[in-house]
Amino acid sequence: QVRVEESGGHLVHPGRSLRLSCEDSGLSPHGIHWVRQAPGKGLEWVAAMAHDGIKKFYSDSVKGRFTISRDTADNKLYLEMSSLRPDDTALYYCATVRLLLEDGAFDFRGQGTMVTVSS
Amino acid sequence: SVLTQPPSASGTPGQTVTISCSGGKSNIGSNTVNWYQQVPGTAPKLLIFSHDQRPSGVPDRFSGSKSGTSASLAISALRSDDEADYFCASWDDHLNAVIFGGGTRVTVL
């Protein structure tokens, strides 16, 4: 079974950077997504990356500030976040692609990691 | 949200509740629709993918359909543990992004 665990979230000041990790003990053959949920709000898609690490997509709200990447040596996936803003405050989930990267169907495997951006 | 859902829906045990999800040509009109269930305090769970497919373990009380630029999720034989938030999602060809509906809170009366 593909199992992922998110980590790296904590309280940071606006404008600072943070890196989230997603440990994947059974790498999805199709790719990975990051999805976030602000407190009391709905789901917001953040970014996606194909299994080969080449094809990447970002939401307009994070484009140019966030970078999705993977390290095959340690089976980890990353979301590097810079120029953080208070509206980036959310619970961040990584999710494995079920069939196609570009179809919006993915499986949430972890409980998310909380990022709080506040001064 | 680019996908439009009603904020709430309700029913009594045993009834059928239907949730709509309205989009456009560049998303639902061109791509598959997926539905997620999120019980408060827990991570979302994929409920329906590719319009009408259920992952293993999802009961057949849950069914999805799509017509044109809209989709629906039906929950039949409603149970108290179906109380949750339900989100539709699809890929958008113009945005090159996954888009979610705003979510529908289902209450079992």
Side-chain angles (χ1 to χ4, degrees), chain A residues 98 107, chain B residues 33-35 45-65 73-74 76:
Chain A
R98 175 162 281 264
D107 294 288
Chain B
V33 181
N34 312 285
W35 291 90
K45 166 188 165 185
L46 182 64
L47 197 65
I48 297 285
F49 66 98
S50 298
H51 310 319
D52 58 6
Q53 301 299 299
R54 286 183 300 276
S56 174
V58 174
D60 59 7
R61 300 186 299 105
F62 295 92
S63 62
S65 63
L73 172 71
S76 62

Side-chain angles (χ1 to χ4, degrees), chain B residues 63-92:
Chain B
S63 62
S65 63
K66 168 188 151 172
S67 177
T69 59
S70 294
S72 295
L73 172 71
I75 310 172
S76 62
L78 195 65
R79 297 165 37 142
S80 59
D81 57 0
D82 294 331
E83 280 205 339
D85 295 317
Y86 293 83
F87 299 90
C88 58
S90 184
W91 181 262
D92 189 287

